[in-house]
Amino acid sequence: MQWETVIGLEVHVQLATRSKIFSGASTAFGAEPNSQACAVDLGLPGVLPVLNEAAVAMAVQFGLAIDADIPEVSIFDRKNYFYPDLPKGYQTSQMYSPIVGPGEVEIALDNGDTKRVRVHHAHLEEDAGKSLHEDFHGMTGIDLNRAGTPLMEIVSQPDMRSAKEAAAYLKAIHAIVTYLGISDGNMAEGSMRCDVNVSVRPKGQESFGTRAEIKNVNSFRFVERAIAFEVERQIECLEDGGEVEQETRLFDPELDETRSMRTKEEANDYRYFPCPDLLPVVLDQAYIDHQRQSLPELPAEKRARFQNELGLSAYDAGVLSSSRAMAEYFEAVKDVCGDAKQAANWVQGELSGRLNKEGLDIADSPVSARQLGELITRVIDDTINGKAAKEVFAALWEKEGDRADTIIDARGLRQVTDTSAIEDMIDQVIADNPAQVTQYQEADDAKRGKMIGYFVGQVMKASRGTANPQQVNALLKDKLDQA
Amino acid sequence: MHDKTLVELTDTLRTGDVSSRELTEAFLARIDRLDSRLNSFITVTAEQALAAADAVDAQRGHGDAGTLAGIPVALKDIICTRGIKTSCGSRMLDNFVSPYDATVVEKLTAAGAINLGKTNMDEFAMGSSNETSYYGPVKNPWDLGAVPGGSSGGSAAAVAAGLVPAALGTDTGGSIRQPAAFCGITGLKPTYGRVSRYGIIAYASSLDQAGPMARTAEDCALLLDTIAGHDLRDSTSVARSVPAYRAGLGESLSGLKIGLPREYFGDGLDPAVNAAIQEAVKTYESLGATVRDVSLPHTHLAIPAYYVIAPAEASSNLSRYDGVRFGHRCDNPRDLIDLYKRSRSEGFGEEVKRRILIGTHTLSEGFFDAYYKQAQKVRRLIRQDFLDVFEDVDVLMGPASPTPAFDLGAKKDPVSMYLQDIYTIAINLAGIPGITVPAGFTASRGGQRPIGLQILGPHFAESQLLNVAHQFQQTTDWHHRRPGIAEETA
Amino acid sequence: MAIEHEDVSRAGHLARLELDDADASRYVDDLGRILEMVDQLQGVDTDQVAPLAHPLDATQRLRADEVTEFDQRDHFQRCAPLVEEGLYLVPRVVE
């Protein structure tokens, strides 16, 4: 039987506010345990929440970025359950009237096409604290610094049909929130994590199969791997005549598998009801218009502009617009060197290669966009050749110089384009290699084409790489043919 | 000294006839001598009070003194006080020393008031008789065999017995007004949102409101002048200017339109209470008011709606008492669930558990719409009753409670206890203000028991209510009557 | 709507209250009578009525995104039953 995979994602994005969603405590990462848990975060008797305006603005900006409806009224509800990292015994969230209504996100597929994934809604809620399981005499330690950090949960429709689409969707969400600057998108620190709903159904069947929810997947790669495993598991189960159980599962990246989180606990009953300590949030059109005006250029718009105005390929435009940092870096390089294609090649080639190798983010690149732009300028104006450019790049990376020009001069990498100087070097090479010259002259045209490489290499070596290779090639041909 | 009103005491202090220390010592001595019979205080903060009084005395004559400079007050033990035990009448918080002050405490402190201590109350404000307190029941100063009412029974009894000139209470379904009526004092529940709830331990967040309890309406006005106002830390507090309440007293009642809700004079109303209320209404007519019958047709639904909404909110508000960050924690928990279950079962009393269970049940899957949602809809109908009737009349009048204070231990069945609040509960659901003033007495086995007149007004009509109550107190002397214990000297 | 023994047990568990059988039976009784009183709500026609969550028709005020609270951990942990190295301790949580 042919199976079809159906995937929906719930993405939790930590919003980049300075203070918490309902209190004035700092959200900074990495503080001493409980040093950023104020009276409100601790749920001390008598405390009350007051909503952070930045969290609201960020959620609205996200909504506008995905063309969603922004309802005039949204309401906070309490989700009631006991857990040690949940200080009040309830999480303040939005169950019935979320701040962002239905919208859609465009994702890029491998074949260059795009697909629209519908977003059901996005809502605001508070994060919980952290349980630390190191040994405290067999007890668990609770750190509530993270409690009350603003989260936006983005719930998609079950519109994705493969692990790749799910990963592309997650990347698109990542790009949007980082473009908007509403989250640092740092998945390793938990600023973005997602729950994946996966089911399979026979191809052609309209109704959905029973789904499993994989909790807390925290990287693009894990999303793909978790789905791949889960799909295979479900298909195997169905083909063996079994039934998929509706349950919550965990992805274990070490074993590369998902496993059931079945506990003795019966199904929870969260008893949602409107939080009586918070009033309805009412956003008027003027507010929404104001937020709309503050939106930066978004990934899809940037991708289109890179393609249409800068003449980049669909692939290049996609890669270079994939993150705000990448796009900004690329545009800065392009502005310095004035050549979009060269800038695209360098950013995706030499720079990305090196960043990947070192495991660095583009924002932490040792070579600045200005440095790279100036280097490319010297390639374009023939001051240096490609080989020398790579050496200069490496030197910039190692901080052996501050500017491309200084390095070029210090190392004498300036390309030799003076014909007589190159001719002198060629004459010397011909004089030093009489046997090879004879062989060359006795060879036919096809062979000569191959053999000339040897002489080019010798001349380049004599020039310490600074001779213009095209010039060397042309002049060598003339000389050898005449000789 | 203890028979003086708050207003008289401010004058006495201002003239320098007596120092704040002397005043504070006098009241502390009364508490020390008399409260063992009443049990109205959970904590007496003698040392801090005397230090604060000395500070006010030292400051006197140097610059502006606060409006309550040097005046002793007491706070219901539901109000968080930094460095002072704040128990909420519960074993759960018997060991809880609040690390912060409630906004109302900050305001009182800024005005120079001296906190004598924390008054007894029904556990987590759940009760109408003060019998659910972990610290034992409070006795009614008029009759030690009677309840003082609840849940602010300690505040009411302390003021009535002259242990403190005024106190703060909180009112979720009548908890200021009913004990004020039972103890023969004046108590005001302001409009929801008029006084900050920050630092007041939540029972039912959409109903809770703090207010003054004192001898007279004028004293209540003086206190409300201090505690009312918008608070940035309470989203439900109202950003609306605060009128000068005390300065607003003295308006003539000529032309005042009084409505008597038919539903507040039906079956179950004690004849003596009815007679006292009718008498009070006649007094108002003599002051120039006109009276008419009106109807609040959904009155009978107030208690059912309240006993869905309040326990639902309470079940969630009280989830934070889990033995982890503060409050009671059971000994040697076997595991997490045992920590939760035993800490909470040991920490909470019977009535609190009952309401948590009701609230949990009515919010749970399959019941939510039928109970909670329906109660919220009925809540709108109840509010609408008041909005409609206030189109036609300025204030409503009626009894604060169907009977005067009942005997300790008389109401064993929870539902019959709940039905006591028939005249006070709808006011919280609607969010409107209400005040009760002493309006008579009825004879009982142990002596006289006070009767309270309740006056209700539209949202933010506190000024009018206080004036209407004040004018009554200019022509009657019920509020000057003292129980025997108040006549005793320390 | 009647309340059964298992409803009370379930609510007790959700609310993390320890109820033995005798407790539960007593609460079935108490809660039954309370719900019977509450059931008066069921007869009211509210089809055209919107729920009312707050007594005033006010809307949420927003707070500026500023850090206004600073570390008071030691102060706040003075009322905590069990802390170590700044952490609140609970019996081991099994993930």
Side-chain angles (χ1 to χ4, degrees), chain A residues 18-20 23-24 33-34 50-53 82-83 136-137 139-140 142 266 269 276 278-280 282, chain C residues 10 13-14 16 54 59-60 62-63 65-69 71 73 84 86-90 92-93 95:
Chain A
R18 284 187 284 273
S19 63
K20 293 187 178 172
S23 83
N34 290 309
V50 185
L51 182 58
N52 185 335
E53 67 175 359
F82 284 85
Y83 204 74
F136 295 99
H137 334 291
M139 305 196 86
T140 292
I142 306 297
E266 74 281 20
D269 181 343
L278 291 163
L279 300 169
V282 176
Chain C
R10 188 164 161 274
H13 180 67
L14 283 171
R16 299 296 185 266
H54 295 279
T59 60
Q60 181 63 35
L62 303 178
R63 178 177 62 77
D65 180 23
E66 284 159 9
V67 175
T68 55
E69 301 294 326
D71 182 12
R73 182 176 78 187
E84 194 173 306
L87 298 163
Y88 296 94
L89 294 193
V90 298
R92 181 175 286 285
V93 176
E95 285 280 277

Side-chain angles (χ1 to χ4, degrees), chain B residues 94-170:
Chain B
D94 183 46
N95 62 5
F96 179 64
V97 175
S98 173
Y100 76 105
D101 273 333
T103 298
V104 289
V105 175
E106 287 181 351
K107 290 189 169 209
L108 285 173
T109 305
I114 309 297
N115 173 23
L116 295 191
K118 309 296 290 290
T119 57
N120 203 343
M121 55 181 285
D122 279 299
E123 185 180 5
F124 280 99
M126 299 180 191
S128 311
S129 67
N130 230 296
E131 293 168 297
T132 72
S133 171
Y134 173 62
Y135 301 92
V138 178
K139 315 287 171 50
N140 191 314
W142 290 90
D143 181 341
L144 298 180
V147 303
S151 63
S152 311
S155 289
V159 171
L163 306 188
V164 67
L168 292 192
T170 62

Side-chain angles (χ1 to χ4, degrees), chain B residues 62-107:
Chain B
H62 305 284
D64 286 347
T67 49
L68 296 173
I71 298 287
V73 297
L75 305 168
K76 186 180 182 180
D77 208 20
I78 199 170
I79 299 169
C80 285
T81 41
R82 185 180 166 111
I84 298 167
K85 173 165 126 176
T86 301
S87 74
C88 220
S90 181
R91 181 184 180 197
M92 181 59 85
L93 292 178
D94 183 46
N95 62 5
F96 179 64
V97 175
S98 173
Y100 76 105
D101 273 333
T103 298
V104 289
V105 175
E106 287 181 351
K107 290 189 169 209

Side-chain angles (χ1 to χ4, degrees), chain B residues 82 96-97 99 192 206 230 232 235 238 300-301 303-305 307-308 323-327 329 333 335-337 339-342 344-345 348 350 353-354 356-358 360-362 364 370-371 374-381 383 413 415 418 429-431 459-460, chain C residues 1-3 7-8 10-19 23 26-27 30-31 33-35 37-61 72 75-77 79-83 88-93:
Chain B
R82 185 180 166 111
F96 179 64
V97 175
Y192 181 82
S206 76
H230 185 220
L232 295 176
S235 300
V238 177
H300 65 291
L301 297 172
I303 291 178
Y307 278 98
V308 173
V324 178
R325 298 165 316 289
F326 44 78
R329 178 179 178 117
D335 52 24
L336 187 61
I337 196 95
L339 167 73
Y340 286 151
K341 287 196 171 179
R342 273 203 293 135
R344 289 168 61 77
S345 295
F348 292 137
E350 198 72 343
K353 287 186 216 174
R354 197 178 285 135
I356 290 175
L357 288 171
I358 279 282
T360 304
H361 176 68
T362 53
S364 63
Y371 286 125
Q374 177 71 352
Q376 280 199 327
K377 290 175 166 189
V378 168
R379 183 176 189 177
R380 183 176 294 277
L381 296 175
R383 184 179 73 162
D413 161 53
V415 173
Y418 299 169
L429 291 168
H459 291 130
F460 302 104
Chain C
M1 281 177 278
I3 185 161
D7 293 325
V8 172
R10 188 164 161 274
H13 180 67
L14 283 171
R16 299 296 185 266
L17 293 172
E18 192 166 65
L19 308 178
D23 292 331
R26 195 173 65 252
Y27 284 121
D30 280 356
L31 269 52
R33 269 176 296 147
I34 296 167
L35 290 176
M37 183 264 289
V38 162
D39 273 343
Q40 291 174 70
L41 296 176
Q42 306 311 331
V44 188
D45 178 4
T46 54
D47 285 354
Q48 304 302 313
V49 184
L52 181 70
H54 295 279
L56 304 174
D57 298 311
T59 60
Q60 181 63 35
R61 189 182 52 78
Q72 294 192 71
H75 181 57
F76 289 145
Q77 291 191 338
C79 61
L82 192 59
V83 291
Y88 296 94
L89 294 193
V90 298
R92 181 175 286 285
V93 176

Side-chain angles (χ1 to χ4, degrees), chain A residues 18-78:
Chain A
R18 284 187 284 273
S19 63
K20 293 187 178 172
I21 184 167
F22 298 123
S23 83
S26 169
T27 55
F29 185 78
E32 280 288 295
N34 290 309
S35 63
Q36 285 173 180
C38 72
V40 172
D41 306 325
L42 293 173
L44 289 183
V47 298
L48 295 168
V50 185
L51 182 58
N52 185 335
E53 67 175 359
V56 170
M58 289 176 180
V60 168
Q61 286 168 15
F62 174 78
L64 294 171
I66 62 162
D67 265 327
D69 300 331
I70 308 295
E72 191 189 355
V73 178
S74 71
I75 291 171
F76 283 91
D77 301 294
R78 291 184 183 176

Side-chain angles (χ1 to χ4, degrees), chain A residues 167-347:
Chain A
Y169 169 78
L170 193 58
K171 283 179 186 156
I173 295 285
H174 186 268
I176 292 169
V177 299
T178 50
Y179 264 74
L180 292 172
I182 63 174
S183 174
D184 65 17
N186 188 330
M187 297 186 85
E189 281 177 13
S191 303
M192 215 173 127
R193 38 192 205 267
C194 77
D195 301 337
V196 187
N197 287 297
V198 183
S199 64
V200 297
R201 61 182 173 192
K203 238 196 164 89
Q205 179 182 307
E206 216 166 294
S207 60
F208 294 129
T210 308
R211 68 191 156 86
E213 183 180 20
I214 312 168
K215 281 271 181 209
N216 256 325
V217 190
N218 65 356
S219 87
F220 299 120
R221 211 153 41 91
F222 291 170
V223 164
E224 281 197 60
R225 282 164 48 187
I227 294 171
F229 174 86
E230 183 59 20
V231 166
E232 206 169 309
R233 185 190 72 85
Q234 291 186 14
I235 291 173
E236 210 166 285
C237 169
L238 291 168
E239 288 186 340
D240 287 352
E243 271 181 29
V244 174
E245 210 177 317
Q246 178 155 357
E247 61 175 351
T248 304
R249 300 180 69 85
L250 259 188
F251 177 65
D252 182 338
E254 309 253 307
L255 298 175
D256 207 5
E257 64 176 26
T258 69
R259 60 169 180 269
S260 179
M261 279 177 77
R262 217 171 296 141
T263 55
K264 286 174 290 198
E265 277 299 291
E266 74 281 20
N268 234 322
D269 181 343
Y270 292 121
R271 291 157 285 137
Y272 284 98
F273 77 106
C275 178
D277 288 329
L278 291 163
L279 300 169
V281 179
V282 176
L283 304 175
D284 61 19
Q285 197 53 48
Y287 175 86
I288 292 168
D289 290 343
H290 172 75
Q291 293 301 333
R292 196 188 305 275
Q293 278 153 22
S294 73
L295 292 184
E297 188 181 34
L298 292 162
E301 295 161 14
K302 239 187 222 312
R303 186 169 61 227
R305 182 166 59 82
F306 286 176
Q307 248 182 290
N308 302 335
E309 289 178 23
L310 303 183
L312 300 187
S313 71
Y315 177 81
D316 287 356
V319 172
L320 292 170
S321 63
S322 65
S323 82
R324 183 169 175 168
M326 173 77 95
E328 280 174 356
Y329 191 102
F330 159 70
E331 293 212 71
V333 173
K334 179 211 72 181
D335 288 346
V336 173
C337 76
D339 186 324
K341 282 192 180 142
Q342 287 272 18
N345 289 342
W346 272 89
V347 170

Side-chain angles (χ1 to χ4, degrees), chain B residues 13 18-26 49-50 52-54 56-57 60 69-72 112 114:
Chain B
L13 280 171
V18 68
S19 69
S20 177
R21 170 171 265 269
E22 288 167 313
L23 200 58
T24 305
E25 280 174 342
L50 289 171
D54 287 343
V56 170
D57 285 334
R60 201 172 296 280
I71 298 287
I114 309 297

